Amino acid sequence: MYQWRKFEFFEEKAAGRGVPAEIAARVSCCSGGRGRVAVGCDDGTVGLLDRGFRLSYGFQAYASSVLFLQQLKQRNVLITVGDDDQPSSQSSAICLKVFDLDKVQEEGSSTTSPFCVQILRIFTKQFPLAKITSFVVLEEAPPILLIAIGLDNGSIYCIKGDIARERITRFMLQVEATSDGSTSPITGLGFRLEGQAHQLFAVTPSSVTLFSLHDHPPRRQTLDQIGCETNAVAMSDRMDLIIGRPEAVYFYEVDGRGPCWAFDGEKKFVGWFRGYLLCIIEDQRSRKNTLNVYDLKNRLIAHSMPVGDVSQLVSEWGYIILIMSDKKILCIGEKDMESKLDMLFKKNLYTVAINLVQSQQADPASTAEVLRKYGDHLYGKQEYDEAMSQYIHTIGHLEPSYVIQKFLDAKRIYNLTNYLEKLHDRGLASKDHTTLLLNCYTKLKDVEKLNHFIKDEDGVGEIKFDVETAIRVCRAAGYHEHAMFVAKKAGRHELYLKILLEDLGRYDEALQYISSLEANQAGLTVKEYGKILVEHRPAETVEILLRLCTDSGDRMTRRGSNSMHLLTIPSPMDFVNIFVHSPKYLMEFLEKYTKAVKDSSAQTEIHNTLLELYISKDLSFPSMSQENGSEELLIKERKGKEVANGYKSGPKEKGNLGKEDTNVAKDIVERQRKGLALLRSAWTSEMDDPLYDVDLALIICNANAFKDGLLFLYEKLKLFKEVISCYKQAHDHEGLIACCKKLGDSSQGGDPSLWGDLLKYFSELGEDCSKEVKEVLTYIEKEDVLPPIVVLETLSKNPCLTLSVVKDYIARKLEQESKLIEEDRKSIDKYQDETELMKREIEDLKTNAKVFQLSKCTTCTFTLDLPAVHFMCMHSFHLRCLGDNEKECPECAPEYRSVMEAKQKLEHNARDHDLFFRQLRGSKDGFSVVADYFSKGIVSKTAIPPENGR
């Protein structure tokens, strides 16, 4: 026992206290529970003490003495066994009483007594009288109780049920007799619960017996042939039986004796308090009693102090309470954890401190703090390996930088590596920790550990570190394969490809990897690294893009429902930027795409891009520069040498340069041919709108002086004057005339005014263009575009033209004008004669009588009879033939109405200014339109509308 360390983990509380003076008799029993201590005395009284050991109240429970009592935990009930008045000579005075402490009845001004719920006689005819040596109560589901009463004859009386209502069952148990046939008294009892099974330990001075109460009848099992005396029996918190003998303390479980602890000395009292074993041991020499508090888990004595003659041992309020025979009370309380740890730290007993906090189930933070201090202690002693083993246990509670800083200073890279590995295993490592660990591996050149950390042995399992950090460190240290493994395992395809392309230059492998990805992932990676791939593997990259952007499900993995399938196909315009330095392959890619996909949603953008590629003259070709790069370099070197040596390059080099220029020119012509074909195919006569941006196409064509494209676009936009301007700028006279023939034909929807612009162009040309002017005059005369006077004024501006150019034209126009004048004179004479005739008729109607000589009705052709109606137009009718219309001649009425309608129409047209100007703009001769309006009296008569209300 001398090997067990002694500590003062307990201290005396409430020194100098004693049993209250109101309790005069000897204390025979006591029980703690529900915040009070109940004491029973040999005069039959029971007192209830509060936390200050003051008497709350007392009452007379029995007439003679109180033998045993126990407070229940679940209910505020007190169970007592005592010696009461003997009612008759046939029955015993020993009885069991149940007091309800919640129901207190007044018994005068100075005393109170709890309500006695039930009084039960223990001994009956079936249960003969004997001395009670032990008593224990087990609370089942309230109000059911199981009471065991041990007797001096080895019998145990059991009472089970609702004692308050006296709904009980009784049965008796008997321990095994000794070898000589005598019986031993029951010195201790203890209940044990295992699920629904109830078991009862019974201790005698010579045996330990276990009864299984769930069996019928209860099964008896003798666990040991040794026992103990009274008060040396207790139950642990694990429901193990504890008995104290002079040589040792024994623990018993259901299957027999368990561990034993060799504590010498007679055990006056044995108890259990919060995981501590309590023993009051009498020294065999000095006969003095000592209270020892044992921490069995940590093998230490938590407290030891001499005590006097102890009468009762009980625990309540977190204290160990000893009631002495002289009625003094000794109260011992456990110190707080911090005080105990400080005590251990001062003695450098860190191992004991760690065991203590772990055994008492302290919070993890407190345990980690103890481990940290122990680690600091070992670190100060330069025991780095042992210190690190303690620091590893603090992971999750201690800041890792605290430990890392220590081992960085000490340059203990192996210990630091171990700590960082554990940090990653727990999933608590940050990016900096991953960087540091990988740097440790690379400095140690420990490829095996690096493989284990990166590849996780079998290559499966969750990644326990920051992926980007691991890849960055591995790349920096030259461990590219490890970086690629991490990237692939984590699904970081962009990082995997970055290593392949930027670090290793394995372009073919990168292309194969992209081909193995899902379509959306492949698209993202190509967008990021497409420039590098196009630079080194252009043809293969174009093929991958075609599979991505077209519905090639057999080549590229595509997942998702059919309804969303089309949405997963990327647009080719998403990848245009990767061809920024390789426009030739962009052109190839878009050409192949347009052949494969006819109804792309990005068709307009694709055509715009293709037009820019086709029409631009400064397009560079990487393939040509690569092929000719070495040749150009040689030429430059030769030139430099020749200049240095005093002579110039020969015709061979000039021929090579000329050949290169020729190839470039041919490429420009071919591309512009494709551009014109695209302009036409994407805007056919059947289309209302083109499949490209017209404004952009015009800008591109104009910027690159692409005449054919401009002419096509101007013609489609009906910008005929711009078409003419193109020919004018090129001084293409034949083209000008041909264009005017095509665009100036009014019968085909053309603009005849173009001939006038053409004539003006030739007049301002300042050179002899008689042939072209004659041809133009032919079409001007045919379309009657300009008056002769305007033609003459226009052509007079060109000093190189002679009168012979317009001689025939003028002669024909004069002859034509003469004929028109003659026809107009004849018409004037005719209209004058008709007007004169009308005037005479009107005058005759006004001044002379009209004789109606018609004898027949114009309608029915029968002879006229009265009543008859005669009209001034010389038509006569029967009145009956006219019907209701007597005011106008039925024969002349339609003609009259047509004249009136024409007149109303003319008046309406006089107010329709838009119609007048439309006719004016649409006519070849605007003067004739104005004259026509004057001739019909439309313009000459101006009606002023009346004002409102007048």
Side-chain angles (χ1 to χ4, degrees):
M1 201 57 243
Y2 59 87
Q3 296 179 352
W4 286 43
R5 295 177 179 270
K6 290 185 179 181
F7 299 95
E8 294 300 323
F9 289 166
F10 287 78
E11 59 185 353
E12 186 176 352
K13 306 284 186 180
R17 297 296 179 92
V19 177
E22 294 88 344
I23 301 176
R26 182 180 66 85
V27 177
S28 58
C29 56
C30 68
S31 173
R34 301 184 69 87
R36 288 181 293 189
V37 174
V39 295
C41 302
D42 58 0
D43 63 351
T45 60
V46 173
L48 296 174
L49 307 182
D50 60 14
R51 193 182 184 95
F53 298 105
R54 294 180 293 271
L55 181 66
S56 296
Y57 64 89
F59 61 93
Q60 190 73 36
Y62 294 91
S64 180
S65 64
V66 181
L67 301 178
F68 300 93
L69 58 78
Q70 182 172 336
Q71 293 189 76
L72 301 185
K73 302 292 185 182
Q74 301 181 31
R75 294 180 292 160
N76 195 15
V77 172
L78 178 67
I79 309 294
T80 61
V81 175
D83 190 359
D84 212 345
D85 293 334
Q86 185 174 354
S88 65
S89 58
Q90 292 79 14
S91 61
S92 170
I94 305 299
C95 63
L96 182 147
K97 293 185 179 181
V98 180
F99 293 96
D100 188 347
L101 300 181
D102 289 331
K103 298 178 181 179
V104 180
Q105 53 187 7
E106 299 290 339
E107 292 185 354
S109 60
S110 59
T111 61
T112 57
S113 176
F115 181 70
C116 183
V117 179
Q118 185 60 264
I119 301 175
L120 189 67
R121 297 294 171 181
I122 296 176
F123 301 108
T124 62
K125 292 181 180 181
Q126 293 79 12
F127 299 91
L129 177 65
K131 182 181 178 180
I132 300 176
T133 55
S134 60
F135 172 77
V136 66
V137 180
L138 173 66
E139 294 182 81
E140 293 189 29
I144 305 302
L145 300 177
L146 178 57
I147 300 175
I149 302 172
L151 307 176
D152 62 351
N153 59 6
S155 299
I156 303 171
Y157 290 171
C158 296
I159 303 172
K160 182 178 182 179
D162 185 357
I163 297 177
R165 299 182 181 181
E166 207 169 350
R167 296 176 182 176
I168 60 174
T169 58
R170 296 173 182 251
F171 58 92
M172 183 173 62
L173 306 173
Q174 182 69 45
V175 299
E176 187 177 0
T178 59
S179 57
D180 58 359
S182 62
T183 59
S184 298
I186 304 298
T187 55
L189 295 171
F191 281 108
R192 179 187 177 95
L193 290 177
E194 285 190 358
Q196 298 297 324
H198 296 166
Q199 296 169 322
L200 175 64
F201 287 105
V203 182
T204 68
S206 59
S207 68
V208 176
T209 306
L210 177 68
F211 293 95
S212 298
L213 303 182
H214 54 280
D215 295 333
H216 298 285
R219 180 171 55 87
R220 182 180 66 189
Q221 177 185 0
T222 301
L223 301 179
D224 205 347
Q225 296 297 331
I226 60 172
C228 68
E229 300 299 328
T230 306
N231 294 329
V233 179
M235 296 294 292
S236 72
D237 50 10
R238 296 179 56 189
M239 292 190 173
D240 293 336
L241 177 68
I242 308 171
I243 65 172
R245 291 180 56 82
E247 72 277 6
V249 175
Y250 298 89
F251 281 71
Y252 288 89
E253 299 178 357
V254 293
D255 52 356
R257 184 191 296 179
C260 69
W261 306 90
F263 304 143
D264 292 334
E266 183 180 353
K267 313 303 184 296
K268 293 293 187 179
F269 282 90
V270 172
W272 190 263
F273 174 76
R274 292 184 175 180
Y276 294 101
L277 174 65
L278 308 179
C279 291
I280 297 177
I281 303 175
E282 182 183 47
D283 187 82
Q284 296 178 357
R285 297 178 181 178
S286 62
R287 296 297 175 181
K288 292 183 179 180
N289 296 332
T290 302
L291 169 63
N292 287 335
V293 181
Y294 297 100
D295 185 347
L296 301 180
K297 289 183 180 179
N298 299 313
R299 294 179 178 269
L300 57 86
I301 299 176
H303 186 67
S304 180
M305 64 179 296
V307 294
D309 186 13
V310 179
S311 172
Q312 303 294 327
L313 172 64
V314 69
S315 63
E316 184 63 28
W317 307 302
Y319 298 149
I320 301 170
I321 301 171
L322 304 178
I323 300 177
M324 306 299 178
S325 298
D326 57 0
K327 291 189 178 182
K328 291 183 179 180
I329 295 177
L330 180 61
C331 181
I332 301 171
E334 187 178 7
K335 294 180 180 179
D336 59 86
M337 179 63 72
E338 185 176 357
S339 299
K340 291 188 287 185
L341 291 176
D342 288 341
M343 187 187 307
L344 294 173
F345 293 153
K346 290 178 181 178
K347 298 179 180 181
N348 291 330
L349 299 175
Y350 293 97
T351 304
V352 178
I354 293 170
N355 294 333
L356 180 65
V357 294
Q358 290 177 346
S359 63
Q360 296 196 358
Q361 298 180 349
D363 60 281
S366 300
T367 304
E369 180 63 18
V370 175
L371 292 167
R372 181 193 66 78
K373 290 184 177 181
Y374 187 29
D376 292 346
H377 173 71
L378 294 172
Y379 184 86
K381 294 170 63 178
Q382 296 185 354
E383 297 179 6
Y384 299 114
D385 294 340
E386 293 78 6
M388 179 53 71
S389 65
Q390 301 305 319
Y391 288 132
I392 287 174
H393 292 303
T394 66
I395 292 176
H397 304 284
L398 180 62
E399 178 60 37
S401 60
Y402 178 85
V403 179
I404 293 171
Q405 186 63 41
K406 283 180 173 292
F407 286 86
L408 282 177
D409 294 342
K411 297 181 181 179
R412 300 286 299 178
I413 191 169
Y414 292 98
N415 298 119
L416 180 60
T417 302
N418 186 24
Y419 180 80
L420 292 170
E421 286 175 347
K422 299 298 183 184
L423 204 61
H424 282 81
D425 290 341
R426 305 271 183 91
L428 300 174
S430 66
K431 296 180 181 180
D432 295 332
H433 299 148
T434 302
T435 303
L436 187 57
L437 178 59
L438 291 173
N439 284 330
C440 288
Y441 286 148
T442 55
K443 287 182 179 180
L444 293 172
K445 300 188 183 301
D446 194 341
V447 179
E448 183 179 354
K449 279 194 173 183
L450 183 61
N451 288 337
H452 179 78
F453 179 76
I454 294 295
K455 300 183 179 180
D456 199 16
E457 293 183 353
D458 54 358
V460 297
E462 296 182 0
I463 297 177
K464 301 176 182 178
F465 49 81
D466 184 73
V467 173
E468 293 186 5
T469 302
I471 292 173
R472 175 174 51 81
V473 176
C474 288
R475 287 181 67 194
Y479 291 93
H480 297 107
E481 295 297 332
H482 294 80
M484 289 169 58
F485 179 86
V486 174
K488 189 172 184 179
K489 185 176 180 181
R492 300 297 297 272
H493 310 298
E494 71 283 1
L495 296 177
Y496 185 88
L497 288 169
K498 188 173 186 178
I499 300 166
L500 277 177
L501 296 173
E502 296 181 2
D503 296 340
L504 304 177
R506 285 146 58 170
Y507 307 108
D508 295 328
E509 186 177 343
L511 289 168
Q512 291 177 2
Y513 185 78
I514 292 173
S515 299
S516 66
L517 299 176
E518 296 181 12
N520 56 343
Q521 290 292 339
L524 292 175
T525 54
V526 172
K527 287 179 184 177
E528 187 165 357
Y529 299 105
K531 291 181 182 179
I532 300 176
L533 292 171
V534 169
E535 182 180 356
H536 295 89
R537 297 293 185 273
E540 293 82 353
T541 306
V542 168
E543 289 301 321
I544 286 180
L545 289 176
L546 285 173
R547 293 200 298 270
L548 277 173
C549 298
T550 57
D551 193 7
S552 301
D554 55 335
R555 298 183 182 180
M556 187 65 68
T557 304
R558 298 187 187 276
R559 298 179 182 176
S561 61
N562 293 331
S563 60
M564 298 295 292
H565 180 63
L566 293 177
L567 297 179
T568 61
I569 301 177
S571 169
M573 298 307 297
D574 297 338
F575 306 99
V576 169
N577 61 322
I578 71 174
F579 294 95
V580 64
H581 301 302
S582 305
K584 176 183 177 181
Y585 292 103
L586 173 60
M587 185 168 59
E588 178 184 343
F589 167 53
L590 295 179
E591 285 176 347
K592 291 182 177 180
Y593 177 81
T594 53
K595 290 179 181 178
V597 180
K598 300 298 183 183
D599 54 350
S600 173
S601 58
Q603 200 168 32
T604 300
E605 292 83 357
I606 294 171
H607 287 164
N608 290 340
T609 306
L610 278 174
L611 285 174
E612 188 171 358
L613 292 169
Y614 286 151
I615 299 172
S616 297
K617 290 182 178 180
D618 56 349
L619 183 66
S620 60
F621 293 91
S623 60
M624 290 180 59
S625 62
Q626 291 170 6
E627 292 170 1
N628 300 326
S630 59
E631 185 177 342
E632 291 175 1
L633 184 60
L634 287 173
I635 293 172
K636 290 180 180 179
E637 290 179 354
R638 289 175 184 173
K639 284 184 178 180
K641 291 179 180 179
E642 290 165 1
V643 171
N645 294 328
Y647 63 89
K648 298 182 179 179
S649 54
K652 185 176 180 179
E653 288 78 1
K654 292 182 179 179
N656 290 335
L657 293 174
K659 184 178 179 180
E660 181 182 346
D661 294 339
T662 303
N663 291 335
V664 172
K666 288 181 179 179
D667 289 327
I668 293 174
V669 171
E670 178 62 22
R671 285 189 288 106
Q672 291 188 346
R673 183 191 63 79
K674 291 181 179 180
L676 182 60
L678 179 59
L679 287 173
R680 290 174 176 171
S681 62
W683 195 0
T684 61
S685 57
E686 292 82 10
M687 298 179 182
D688 294 332
D689 296 312
L691 298 177
Y692 49 81
D693 188 338
V694 177
D695 294 334
L696 178 62
L698 284 170
I699 293 171
I700 295 171
C701 291
N702 194 31
N704 293 277
F706 184 39
K707 175 184 173 183
D708 293 340
L710 285 172
L711 291 175
F712 173 78
L713 293 172
Y714 288 151
E715 185 175 340
K716 292 294 288 185
L717 295 171
K718 298 188 181 302
L719 300 174
F720 300 140
K721 294 187 182 296
E722 281 73 10
V723 176
I724 297 299
S725 297
C726 289
Y727 285 104
K728 289 178 181 179
Q729 292 175 3
H731 295 283
D732 186 0
H733 296 172
E734 292 183 2
L736 268 172
I737 295 174
C739 179
C740 284
K741 288 179 181 178
K742 179 181 178 182
L743 304 179
D745 189 355
S746 59
S747 61
Q748 300 296 327
D751 184 6
S753 63
L754 295 177
W755 291 106
D757 296 337
L758 186 56
L759 185 67
K760 183 179 180 182
Y761 166 73
F762 285 127
S763 69
E764 296 174 352
L765 194 57
E767 61 183 40
D768 188 6
C769 49
S770 302
K771 180 181 177 182
E772 291 81 358
V773 171
K774 287 181 179 180
E775 190 171 358
V776 171
L777 289 176
T778 302
Y779 286 96
I780 289 178
E781 182 181 1
K782 179 182 177 182
E783 297 289 340
D784 197 14
V785 178
L786 297 173
I789 188 64
V790 176
V791 172
L792 291 175
E793 288 179 355
T794 302
L795 294 177
S796 64
K797 297 177 182 179
N798 190 342
C800 299
L801 295 177
T802 61
L803 187 60
S804 59
V805 176
V806 296
K807 177 181 177 182
D808 296 336
Y809 167 75
I810 294 299
R812 288 192 300 272
K813 293 301 290 184
L814 288 174
E815 183 180 356
Q816 191 178 30
E817 292 293 331
S818 298
K819 290 180 180 179
L820 289 175
I821 292 172
E822 185 63 29
E823 289 176 359
D824 289 342
R825 284 178 178 172
K826 290 180 179 179
S827 298
I828 291 171
D829 293 340
K830 178 183 176 183
Y831 291 148
Q832 287 179 345
D833 293 341
E834 290 178 355
T835 303
E836 188 63 28
L837 179 60
M838 288 180 183
K839 288 181 178 180
R840 288 197 298 269
E841 288 180 357
I842 292 171
E843 184 64 24
D844 185 52
L845 288 173
K846 289 181 178 180
T847 56
N848 299 324
K850 196 71 172 177
V851 178
F852 300 97
Q853 296 179 352
L854 196 62
S855 60
K856 292 184 178 181
C857 177
T858 306
T859 300
C860 62
T861 67
F862 288 106
T863 304
L864 282 173
D865 55 4
L866 296 176
V869 178
H870 303 277
F871 291 95
M872 298 299 289
C873 60
M874 304 307 294
H875 292 133
S876 300
F877 302 91
H878 292 117
L879 182 60
R880 61 179 179 275
C881 292
L882 289 176
D884 296 334
N885 192 2
E886 302 178 353
K887 295 184 179 181
E888 63 181 7
C889 174
E891 292 293 326
C892 298
E895 182 179 358
Y896 175 74
R897 286 197 198 98
S898 64
V899 172
M900 293 304 295
E901 288 175 359
K903 183 179 179 182
Q904 291 175 359
K905 184 177 180 181
L906 290 173
E907 291 176 353
H908 175 73
N909 291 342
R911 294 189 296 271
D912 191 353
H913 305 296
D914 292 337
L915 176 63
F916 171 73
F917 287 108
R918 281 198 302 272
Q919 292 179 355
L920 192 63
R921 285 191 296 266
S923 174
K924 298 179 183 178
D925 186 5
F927 180 78
S928 61
V929 174
V930 177
D932 183 59
Y933 265 71
F934 272 104
S935 67
K936 294 176 180 178
I938 296 176
V939 179
S940 59
K941 293 183 178 180
T942 304
I944 301 175
E947 297 182 7
N948 293 335
R950 293 184 182 180

